[in-house]
Amino acid sequence: MDLFEHKWRFNGMKKPFFNQVERIHGRSYFTVRIAPLLLAIATSSGFLPTASATSLAPIGEFVPGYMTSTRTKDMPTADFDGDGLPDVIIVGSKSYSDLIQVAGFQSGQGWKVKQLIIPSPGSYLYGTTNLAAWQATDGPHLLYIRGDLTSEYSGWPLTLVRQLQLPGSPEFSDVQVADVDNNGTFELLAASSYAQGIRAISLVTGGTLWETSDPNGYNTTLHVAQLDADPALEIIVSGMPGRVIDGATHAIEWQYKDGFGPLIEHGRFGGSSPRFASLSDRILMFQSQPWSPLWDANEYYVSASTVVDADGDNIDELVCNTNSFPGGIRVFDVQTQTTRSSFAGSDAWQIAATDFDGDPQKEIALGLTVDSFASSGSSFRVINATSGTSEFEIPATAPGPYLVGGFIQDGATVDTVFGSGGESRYAGVFARADSITGAVRWQTAANDSLLDMSQVNNILIANLAGYAHPTILASGSGLYSYQKRIVALDADDGSVLWHIDSENSALPQYAAINAVTAVDTNGDSTADAVLACTSEPRLRLFDAATRAQIWASVTMSDNCGGAMQLTSGGNKQLVAVLSEALRAYDAQTHLLSWSLPFPSGIFGASYLEHGAAGAELAVFSEHGITFFDVETRNQLRELVLPDLYPIQAVAQAAGVSIRDLVVAGNGKLVVLDGITGAVKATSVALGLNAGLNNQVALRANPDGSVLVGLGSDVAVFSHRLDGLSDEIFTDGFDPGMP
């Protein structure tokens, strides 16, 4: 097929026209000039055709670190995979991203994370996370709500079956799903954070079925139980006063002026009528028919709770996390009103309890908050309900966003090298793992004094002169805010080779290294120097062997967010990616070669060796990509891509046409025709900040496919890109790839 290139003048043109130009690589090329507005409309509306032959298939996903969400108390359980054993939903979070993991016991394998789901957060990123599970005729369902978006999952593996955009700007403090009026249809019950009452919402349309006023209820919680003789369920509402609402008539059946606490549990608590417990700074037991408080136990300060029949006597115990001394997990006997057993380790944010493994002893699952400056700990733990012994743990490791630096082949497998962008003292700031299974080959240790880095800004794999193995080159921060450095690690085992920082170089103590790259200044195809883009802002060039500073640019006016090496005018150039310009210096003379103003605001820039008719620069902002000729710096075309807001990365695999440009934006990967803007393939949601800091790793395979790796706030991903266009330059493939 013929390759078409969209070009226009900066001020646009009234109508397109065609000019045939020279033959390149033995093929005829044409220039298509089209007004930017027309291309923007065509791209955003989906008018441009989507190539069906291109595929972007996920081949690996793993979670390097898990941080329990503090946005929810919910920990639903259900037999989601149909193996006869209940699974548990655990939610981790980082920044504004949530990560849903389905964990459970699997026969012959033990405890494992069975599925990973990255849900959409909706339009309101600050919202509380709410989860609910229920059993329908077709199996268990899971509901996830954050902000104005409701997502429903069912089947196995859990699959998104419905999304509802709720009207207004809802902020729910708690939700339940139940057939409260016993009409055969499940309703979503939602409590408002801001005294806006209780709403029943249709799970089909998202419309309000009924609502009650709640002028005094802030951050209200709900609990649904059968507390009387009629078929409808009751809705127990926390707050002052505490209320019990009939699920059919929506009338208040009973209220308690001293209020119900934020945690409410019901179960087989004995007595002649149904009972429920209110938990806060004390435990208070109630009964219905007649409605009355029965007893209380003071100074418990409960922060999470559930119920379980720990000893099999058909009477449920309360399981709670208490902050009273000594803090920890307590199993509370409701018959004697005493603590039956207690286990060390407080700070459980979510609790669930049942027989998870069929042994048939009961287990307690705990979502734990861990001190972000601790050197170890677990974010999820399963303990025996009788002895408190640990049966399964997910260790807390360095949090995201995760930045993928590249791939390294090891025999028949290919490993992913990545770093953690979230400040932490946990282990795993750098790691190398199997790109498909996530099996860790090595990871850096917690509080490694030799490494002394807790946050990664930029990471890549380089072949540095003088080193037998590939080198991991990264910039970031140490345990203290003033520690800014560049670090090199042996990619074979993760051992630290050297640092560049204010203690051993001319780098000022508080100058952040926003980006770093390896450069070849002498043309021998190995990197002999390290180029850093600092917050001063200026470029600094260091000798890779001695770490001595070779050169520093003058201070520049804009923020410096990227550094790269390219060739223009026949010479190697050292380029600073500033917030409103690209600035290039000759790699030998260090004199200014050229500047490329870009007043729209630069998020990043990439050097594309194979453009439409030669090398190009792709400069991207939040909403689009602008392409420039490397030699002339003339603008070639612009792609306006509102569906990819914000664009985080633009990358081209070695030897692959610009027709198969890989772009990260709006929390997903997209394969884009870099000429027309047509979307050829799209990934599922990968989480916020996917590809942050222009970090997408690409590796071309001999079979014509491309391995794609990137990280997000919550996970690390590998994809296989197939069905590339026939505009491929075969001299760019990496040898020996499977």
Side-chain angles (χ1 to χ4, degrees):
M1 66 179 178
D2 287 320
L3 178 65
F4 289 87
E5 176 182 331
H6 293 282
K7 294 185 179 180
W8 53 79
R9 291 196 300 265
F10 185 75
N11 61 351
M13 300 199 68
K14 293 297 183 182
K15 66 177 184 178
F17 63 95
F18 297 77
N19 284 332
Q20 184 172 358
V21 296
E22 72 275 16
R23 292 178 63 84
I24 303 173
H25 298 289
R27 304 178 67 93
S28 296
Y29 287 73
F30 296 81
T31 298
V32 180
R33 292 178 179 165
I34 183 170
L37 178 61
L38 295 179
L39 183 58
I41 293 173
T43 304
S44 62
S45 65
F47 175 78
L48 294 172
T50 298
S52 59
T54 305
S55 66
L56 187 65
I59 58 173
E61 58 182 18
F62 52 95
V63 183
Y66 173 75
M67 300 293 288
T68 297
S69 174
T70 57
R71 295 191 181 97
T72 183
K73 295 289 186 181
D74 301 329
M75 185 175 269
T77 61
D79 181 12
F80 290 106
D81 61 355
D83 66 353
L85 296 174
D87 305 302
V88 60
I89 300 295
I90 55 179
V91 178
S93 61
K94 169 63 183 177
S95 186
Y96 302 120
S97 292
D98 279 339
L99 172 71
I100 298 174
Q101 294 184 91
V102 185
F105 190 90
Q106 187 138 347
S107 179
Q109 299 184 41
W111 274 90
K112 61 181 293 186
V113 174
K114 298 180 178 180
Q115 187 181 357
L116 180 156
I117 302 171
I118 299 174
S120 171
S123 302
Y124 305 98
L125 301 181
Y126 299 96
T128 300
T129 296
N130 285 289
L131 296 152
W134 69 99
Q135 184 71 34
T137 55
D138 60 346
H141 289 236
L142 175 69
L143 199 71
Y144 169 89
I145 301 178
R146 185 147 168 224
D148 62 341
L149 190 64
T150 297
S151 301
E152 181 181 342
Y153 302 85
S154 67
W156 186 253
L158 286 171
T159 303
L160 182 66
V161 295
R162 182 182 290 115
Q163 278 191 325
L164 300 172
Q165 199 84 27
L166 301 178
S169 303
E171 178 59 43
F172 298 140
S173 56
D174 194 21
V175 302
Q176 298 284 326
V177 174
D179 180 10
V180 292
D181 53 8
N182 195 38
N183 69 350
T185 303
F186 288 94
E187 298 91 28
L188 167 63
L189 303 175
S192 168
S193 298
Y194 304 110
Q196 295 174 340
I198 310 301
R199 294 169 57 188
I201 299 170
S202 169
L203 287 171
V204 177
T205 66
T208 298
L209 301 173
W210 55 263
E211 58 185 319
T212 67
S213 62
D214 191 17
N216 298 317
Y218 289 87
N219 296 318
T220 303
T221 57
L222 305 174
H223 195 84
V224 176
Q226 179 57 265
L227 298 177
D228 58 19
D230 65 50
L233 302 177
E234 278 66 51
I235 307 166
I236 308 170
V237 183
S238 72
M240 189 79 71
R243 293 170 294 152
V244 179
I245 298 175
D246 185 277
T249 67
H250 321 143
I252 296 176
E253 291 192 23
W254 183 65
Q255 61 183 12
Y256 184 61
K257 73 178 186 64
D258 292 341
F260 300 148
L263 298 170
I264 301 169
E265 304 291 348
H266 84 282
R268 297 173 299 177
F269 294 148
S272 59
S273 64
R275 298 184 176 189
F276 66 93
S278 160
L279 302 94
S280 55
D281 56 348
R282 61 175 177 161
I283 300 173
L284 182 57
M285 184 66 71
F286 295 88
Q287 75 166 23
S288 65
Q289 300 175 328
W291 299 100
S292 177
L294 298 176
W295 53 260
D296 62 359
N298 293 313
E299 297 184 0
Y300 268 76
Y301 304 101
V302 178
S303 60
S305 64
T306 191
V307 299
V308 69
D309 180 8
D311 54 9
D313 65 354
N314 294 320
I315 298 294
D316 291 326
E317 285 75 46
L318 286 168
V319 182
C320 56
N321 181 84
T322 174
N323 294 319
S324 63
F325 182 82
I329 308 302
R330 298 193 190 184
V331 179
F332 186 86
D333 191 312
V334 299
Q335 295 180 294
T336 64
Q337 292 103 65
T338 59
T339 297
R340 175 179 293 183
S341 56
S342 61
F343 314 119
S346 57
D347 298 325
W349 200 258
Q350 301 101 18
I351 298 181
T354 187
D355 177 15
F356 285 108
D357 56 13
D359 55 4
Q361 294 184 7
K362 304 299 193 298
E363 291 81 36
I364 303 171
L366 304 169
L368 302 165
T369 55
V370 182
D371 182 357
S372 61
F373 290 99
S375 61
S376 63
S378 297
S379 286
F380 177 73
R381 184 181 302 137
V382 180
I383 62 175
N384 183 282
T386 302
S387 66
T389 56
S390 178
E391 298 186 6
F392 176 67
E393 296 185 20
I394 297 178
T397 54
Y402 301 104
L403 308 177
V404 172
F407 298 106
I408 298 179
Q409 186 162 354
D410 183 63
T413 65
V414 178
D415 292 339
T416 301
V417 173
F418 62 90
S420 168
E423 187 173 1
S424 172
R425 295 189 183 189
Y426 294 135
V429 175
F430 295 99
R432 177 176 169 181
D434 187 296
S435 60
I436 296 177
T437 68
V440 175
R441 185 176 300 275
W442 57 256
Q443 71 176 24
T444 53
N447 294 325
D448 185 333
S449 59
L450 187 59
L451 174 62
D452 200 15
M453 183 178 283
S454 65
Q455 183 176 7
V456 180
N457 295 334
N458 184 239
I459 179 173
L460 69 148
I461 299 172
N463 292 315
L464 290 185
Y467 293 97
H469 301 138
T471 300
I472 299 169
L473 196 62
S475 64
S477 304
L479 297 179
Y480 301 98
S481 60
Y482 62 83
Q483 295 174 322
K484 314 293 185 181
R485 55 172 49 94
I486 303 168
V487 63
L489 295 87
D490 189 318
D492 196 52
D493 58 11
S495 59
V496 178
L497 301 174
W498 47 257
H499 290 104
I500 295 175
D501 54 31
S502 61
E503 295 181 0
N504 62 10
S505 78
L507 186 71
Q509 187 177 64
Y510 289 94
I513 302 98
N514 296 327
V516 65
T517 191
V519 299
D520 172 20
T521 62
N522 57 19
D524 64 356
S525 299
T526 59
D528 51 45
V530 177
L531 181 67
C533 178
T534 71
S535 61
E536 300 164 270
R538 69 170 84 225
L539 288 175
R540 291 182 181 270
L541 187 66
F542 300 92
D543 187 284
T546 66
R547 274 82 71 199
Q549 181 171 292
I550 300 171
W551 163 76
S553 73
V554 298
T555 302
M556 296 173 284
S557 59
D558 302 329
N559 294 327
C560 190
M564 57 185 173
Q565 184 185 47
L566 54 83
T567 300
S568 68
N571 297 323
K572 292 183 181 295
Q573 308 290 335
L574 307 178
V575 181
V577 181
L578 307 173
S579 58
E580 294 188 352
L582 269 59
R583 190 168 296 180
Y585 297 86
D586 188 282
Q588 295 298 320
T589 66
H590 303 147
L591 298 177
L592 181 66
S593 297
W594 49 261
S595 291
L596 175 60
F598 193 85
S600 299
I602 297 175
F603 265 42
S606 299
Y607 174 59
L608 309 179
E609 186 177 0
H610 302 298
E616 296 181 4
L617 285 166
V619 180
F620 57 94
S621 56
E622 288 183 303
H623 299 278
I625 309 171
T626 306
F627 299 84
F628 297 89
D629 184 279
V630 167
E631 295 298 331
T632 66
R633 268 78 63 198
N634 291 334
Q635 180 176 323
L636 302 175
R637 61 196 175 279
E638 180 183 33
L639 302 179
V640 180
L641 306 164
D643 291 340
L644 290 181
Y645 168 83
I647 296 174
Q648 301 279 20
V650 176
Q652 181 185 41
V656 174
S657 167
I658 197 170
R659 294 278 189 179
D660 301 298
L661 205 59
V662 177
V663 179
N666 193 24
K668 59 188 175 184
L669 269 175
V670 167
V671 182
L672 198 70
D673 187 317
I675 305 297
T676 67
V679 175
K680 304 174 71 174
T682 305
S683 74
V684 298
L686 305 177
L688 299 180
N689 288 317
L692 181 67
N693 296 343
N694 204 14
Q695 296 264 186
V696 172
L698 301 176
R699 184 179 176 107
N701 299 330
D703 63 1
S705 66
V706 172
L707 188 61
V708 185
L710 87 166
S712 70
D713 275 356
V714 293
V716 173
F717 304 90
S718 300
H719 288 76
R720 179 184 171 96
L721 172 58
D722 282 291
L724 301 178
S725 68
D726 59 357
E727 303 292 336
I728 295 179
F729 305 89
T730 57
D731 61 344
F733 289 118
D734 293 321
M737 280 291 297

